[in-house]
């Protein structure tokens, strides 16, 4: 039985939470394989709204084992806080498992994240300020603190010391901040150990065993394709692999075990933070889309930048992820437009690009070339089959399928878990 990866195809917030949770009903394990509490999933179940940042959306489905894989970075304060919040609302979180190899976000990396952004001035990334980037940098620099380090005081101390050698110089001499105290940090990290220990596993083993037993495993990406450290709009990206390949490295499964890769896209586009965004709308048009779609960040509350659907991005996402299926969310938000622009190519100083330009500067200067599709005015939020959709809504979806070169299997038509049209099963 299947292993299914779910990724965002744009700049995040496509509704992966809802998509994975929607599937979560029939899956046994949900694995988060990248990112940390920079993510924000809003899931609505029985009219109750849940905002998750670190925990996999699958935590809200009974019978699902949620797993935080080795590719994730964990802020223990946030972990415990989210667990408590869910428990307080009567949700069972006891099935949660955490990889021994996942990295911890020490408090000093939050400080460094925010301070670095300030120092970047005009060149800032617009990070979520959660310490994500510095923690992945530590991982690559081989000075990271892993979950398993919390259980050996002397190793932990050595590692904290090692990490702080350079950081303290940076903080004091460059950033004009106070030096971080090794004892304090070690004590703080140690204080998490007892609470986290019962959840710790070899997540690779757990996931592979589950697949051997014929269970269904869902790999849930944080962020999205265009925020991927390798394939996104570098440097305006997050610091992990949010594309399908990240599921293999971030969970410890081989690519041969994966059966389906599901991309999630909004029927239009949004982005938070800085960086290029060819179909971005400004002024009243952008404002209208933002209001209609309720486009404000779950994690930071920032208004999201809004624009039309970008098929160049969608086709690119199909390619770099090897998508087998596409989930289109928030189609209902487009109800009431007389015509809907879809970006089918870019114009870069007179040259037409049907596919993603190789050069970053070309992408920064890309002007969208639009095709205009006829809109619809009927309320579609209660529609549950493709055939019941207004003809123009059907044509919109078929157009996206053709141009993105992937079948659209699920269409979201409202916020609730049930507000979706399922056309094809993923596997
Ligand atoms: P970081 O992940 O906090 O380092 O932020 C890097 C960039 O990714 C910024 O533009 C953030 O706004 C963006 N970002 C990070 N996580 C998410 C997410 O879950 N949804 C949307 N954007 C995100
Ligand atoms: Mg989000």
């Amino acid at each position: 039985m299947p292993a299914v990866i779910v990724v965002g195809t744009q700049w995040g917030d496509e509704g992966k939470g809802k998509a994975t949770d929607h599937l979560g009903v029939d899956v046994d394990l949900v694995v988060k394989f990248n990112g940390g509490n920079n993510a924000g999933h809003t899931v609505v179940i029985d009219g109750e709204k849940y905002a998750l940042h670190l925990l996999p959306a699958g935590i809200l489905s009974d019978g699902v084992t949620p797993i935080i894989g080795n590719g994730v970075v964990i802020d223990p304060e946030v972990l415990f806080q989210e667990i408590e919040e869910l428990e307080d609302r009567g949700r069972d979180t006891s099935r949660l498992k955490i990889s021994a190899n996942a990295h911890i976000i020490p408090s000093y990396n939050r400080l460094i994240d925010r301070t670095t952004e300030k120092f970047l001035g005009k060149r800032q990334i617009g990070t979520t300020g959660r310490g994500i980037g510095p923690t992945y940098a530590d991982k690559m620099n081989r000075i990271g603190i892993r979950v398993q380090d919390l259980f050996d005081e002397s190793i932990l101390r050595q590692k904290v010391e090692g990490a702080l050698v350079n950081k303290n110089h940076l903080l004091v001499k460059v950033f004009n901040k106070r030096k971080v105290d090794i004892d304090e940090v070690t004590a703080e990290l140690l204080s998490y150990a007892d609470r986290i220990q019962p959840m710790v596993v070899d997540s690779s083993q757990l996931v592979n065993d589950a697949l051997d037993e014929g269970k269904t495993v869902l790999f849930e990406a944080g962020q999205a394709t265009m925020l991927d450290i390798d394939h996104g709009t570098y440097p305006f990206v997050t610091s992990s692999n949010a594309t399908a390949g990240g599921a293999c490295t971030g969970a410890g499964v081989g690519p041969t075990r994966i059966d389906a890769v599901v991309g999630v896209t909004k029927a239009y586009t949004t982005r938070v933070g800085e960086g290029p965004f060819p179909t971005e709308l400004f002024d009243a048009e952008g404002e209208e889309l933002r209001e209609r779609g309720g486009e404000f960040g779950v994690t930071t509350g920032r208004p999201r930048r809004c624009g039309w659907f970008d098929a160049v991005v969608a086709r690119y996402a199909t390619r770099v992820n090897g998508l087998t299926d596409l989930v289109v969310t928030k189609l209902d938000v487009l109800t009431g437009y007389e015509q809907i622009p879809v970006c089918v190519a870019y114009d870069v100083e007179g040259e037409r690009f049907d596919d993603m330009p190789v050069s970053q500067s070309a992408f920064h200067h890309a002007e969208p070339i639009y095709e205009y599709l006829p809109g619809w005015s009927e309320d579609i939020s209660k529609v549950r089959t493709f055939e019941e959709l207004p003809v123009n809504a059907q044509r919109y979806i078929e157009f996206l399928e053709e141009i993105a070169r992937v079948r659209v299997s699920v269409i979201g038509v409202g916020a609730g878990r049930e507000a979706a049209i399922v056309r094809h099963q993923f596997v």
Side-chain angles (χ1 to χ4, degrees):
M1 268 301 276
V4 182
I5 301 175
V6 176
V7 297
T9 64
Q10 300 166 314
W11 282 279
D13 310 307
E14 294 90 350
K16 294 182 296 288
K18 190 191 153 200
T20 58
D21 185 65
H22 192 74
L23 289 163
V25 183
D26 307 313
V27 305
D28 301 300
L29 275 70
V30 175
V31 189
K32 179 180 167 91
F33 61 80
N34 76 304
N37 57 310
N38 47 347
H41 289 322
T42 313
V43 185
V44 181
I45 300 180
D46 305 328
E48 286 254 346
K49 201 168 171 178
Y50 296 89
L52 301 173
H53 299 286
L54 175 60
L55 296 179
I59 195 127
L60 294 169
S61 302
D62 299 327
V64 172
T65 303
I67 299 171
I68 294 180
N70 57 276
V72 174
V73 292
I74 301 172
D75 183 329
E77 296 281 354
V78 175
L79 174 72
F80 298 142
Q81 199 183 318
E82 288 199 352
I83 290 176
E84 261 157 45
E85 267 174 43
L86 290 178
E87 291 283 338
D88 286 349
R89 291 173 72 181
R91 292 273 162 187
D92 175 20
T93 61
S94 63
R95 302 173 314 274
L96 179 66
K97 300 281 180 277
I98 297 175
S99 164
N101 290 349
H103 281 244
I104 297 280
I105 305 175
S107 46
Y108 49 77
N109 278 346
R110 279 200 303 274
L111 177 68
I112 288 173
D113 191 356
R114 288 174 193 163
T115 318
T116 309
E117 277 281 281
K118 260 189 231 139
F119 271 68
L120 279 174
K122 275 210 309 239
R123 289 182 299 119
Q124 67 182 356
I125 310 291
T127 74
T128 58
R130 305 291 196 266
I132 307 292
T135 302
Y136 279 112
D138 285 358
K139 174 177 175 174
M140 292 309 181
N141 275 332
R142 294 163 293 194
I143 53 167
I145 312 289
R146 297 192 293 175
V147 167
Q148 57 177 291
D149 301 328
L150 302 180
F151 312 123
D152 184 329
E153 184 169 351
S154 90
I155 291 274
L156 179 65
R157 205 172 190 295
Q158 282 174 41
K159 295 208 170 182
V160 170
E161 224 173 327
L164 287 176
V165 174
N166 286 335
K167 283 180 200 278
N168 268 334
H169 282 301
L170 181 73
L171 284 168
V172 175
K173 294 181 188 155
V174 181
F175 292 156
N176 236 331
K177 298 271 175 196
R178 256 199 312 270
K179 185 173 156 196
V180 177
D181 187 88
I182 293 166
D183 294 326
E184 254 172 52
V185 173
T186 308
E188 185 188 329
L189 291 171
L190 274 176
S191 75
Y192 304 126
D194 288 348
R195 219 171 147 192
I196 217 167
Q197 190 148 40
M199 299 181 244
V200 176
V201 292
D202 178 337
S203 58
S204 165
Q205 178 109 51
L206 197 71
V207 171
N208 281 281
D209 284 353
L211 289 172
D212 289 343
E213 286 162 26
K215 293 193 169 140
T216 302
V217 181
L218 196 93
F219 300 87
E220 173 190 300
Q223 293 74 53
T225 302
M226 300 308 282
L227 289 171
D228 181 280
I229 187 81
D230 284 279
H231 302 290
T233 48
Y234 192 89
F236 302 99
V237 292
T238 194
S239 299
S240 65
N241 283 117
T243 44
C248 294
T249 54
V253 293
T256 50
R257 304 220 65 165
I258 305 301
D259 299 286
V261 183
V262 178
V264 185
T265 180
K266 273 180 196 165
Y268 49 99
T269 312
T270 66
R271 168 164 209 174
V272 284
E274 305 305 318
F277 176 180
T279 62
E280 181 168 15
L281 294 169
F282 301 93
D283 310 322
E285 272 190 303
E287 195 55 47
E288 186 183 357
L289 205 46
R290 184 173 312 120
E291 288 301 324
R292 282 166 171 259
E295 298 294 352
F296 297 89
V298 181
T299 297
T300 57
R302 289 181 285 183
R304 294 179 183 141
R305 301 158 63 190
C306 296
W308 301 119
F309 188 84
D310 187 332
V312 181
V313 165
R315 191 158 59 235
Y316 178 72
T318 301
R319 165 156 61 87
V320 298
N321 292 292
L323 297 184
T324 55
D325 299 83
L326 194 62
V327 173
V328 177
T329 61
K330 293 192 143 181
L331 185 64
D332 55 306
V333 172
L334 296 181
T335 299
Y337 281 105
E338 214 161 289
Q339 53 175 14
I340 307 166
V342 172
C343 169
V344 296
Y346 300 139
D347 177 283
V348 183
E349 279 144 20
E351 191 183 346
R352 183 185 167 112
F353 285 81
D354 288 294
D355 284 295
M356 192 62 69
V358 174
S359 116
Q360 181 192 354
S361 11
F363 190 71
H364 278 252
H365 293 114
E367 293 290 338
I369 298 172
Y370 286 120
E371 278 193 29
Y372 296 86
L373 278 80
W376 60 92
S377 55
E378 300 88 334
D379 175 11
I380 59 170
S381 61
K382 306 269 172 339
V383 172
R384 296 294 175 266
T385 65
F386 189 69
E387 293 66 34
E388 281 174 87
L389 279 175
V391 170
N392 286 346
Q394 294 186 23
R395 279 177 57 193
Y396 186 76
I397 293 294
E398 283 163 353
F399 186 75
L400 302 196
E401 273 187 324
E402 197 179 311
I403 196 154
R405 298 189 188 143
V406 57
R407 66 178 187 175
V408 172
S409 297
V410 177
I411 303 159
V413 292
R417 192 184 224 179
E418 67 297 332
I421 297 167
V422 181
R423 292 171 82 200
H424 310 283
Q425 294 298 329
F426 294 142
V427 277

